[in-house]
Amino acid sequence: MRISFERTGGFAGITKRTTVDTDTLSPDEAATLPRLVEAADFFRLPEVITSPNPQSDRFQYKLTVEDNGKQHTVTVSEAALPGTLRPLIEWLQNLA
């Protein structure tokens, strides 16, 4: 499994990017990543998740997950972040 993660926006406008591949992670991290993706039901999320009340200086996240020949990209604003996706985002931010 491979994930490309990008965080943009925020007060300072600093972009954070990372790519995570289970082949290069420790065994514990390599086991955690697929569980987080599954818990988020990532492949069923819409491609764009926006807040009905956009707020300035909030982060926007873009994740692309590639797994077993499947690929899915989700772009989500911080204000509209589904609770199921939050643990994956937090885990990726700690790695970035």
Side-chain angles (χ1 to χ4, degrees), residues 2-77:
R2 181 180 159 136
I3 296 183
S4 298
F5 171 75
E6 180 179 317
R7 185 191 77 187
T8 57
F11 180 71
I14 297 171
T15 298
K16 241 186 187 184
R17 287 186 184 99
T18 193
T19 300
V20 179
D21 192 322
T22 53
D23 290 342
T24 60
L25 296 173
S26 71
D28 285 345
E29 290 174 326
T32 299
L33 183 57
R35 284 197 302 267
L36 291 170
V37 169
E38 187 176 326
D41 205 8
F42 187 83
F43 285 96
R44 291 182 178 221
L45 291 173
E47 290 183 17
V48 177
I49 305 171
T50 57
S51 171
N53 304 315
Q55 301 167 348
S56 61
D57 297 332
R58 298 297 295 257
F59 292 120
Q60 181 156 319
Y61 305 100
K62 182 177 181 181
L63 296 89
T64 300
V65 177
E66 302 169 46
D67 187 36
N68 294 323
K70 296 185 296 185
Q71 180 176 315
H72 185 57
T73 300
V74 172
T75 302
V76 58
S77 65

Side-chain angles (χ1 to χ4, degrees), residues 80-93:
L81 190 62
T84 57
L85 189 55
R86 187 173 304 280
L88 176 60
I89 297 281
E90 289 173 353
W91 191 83
L92 289 166
Q93 285 191 106

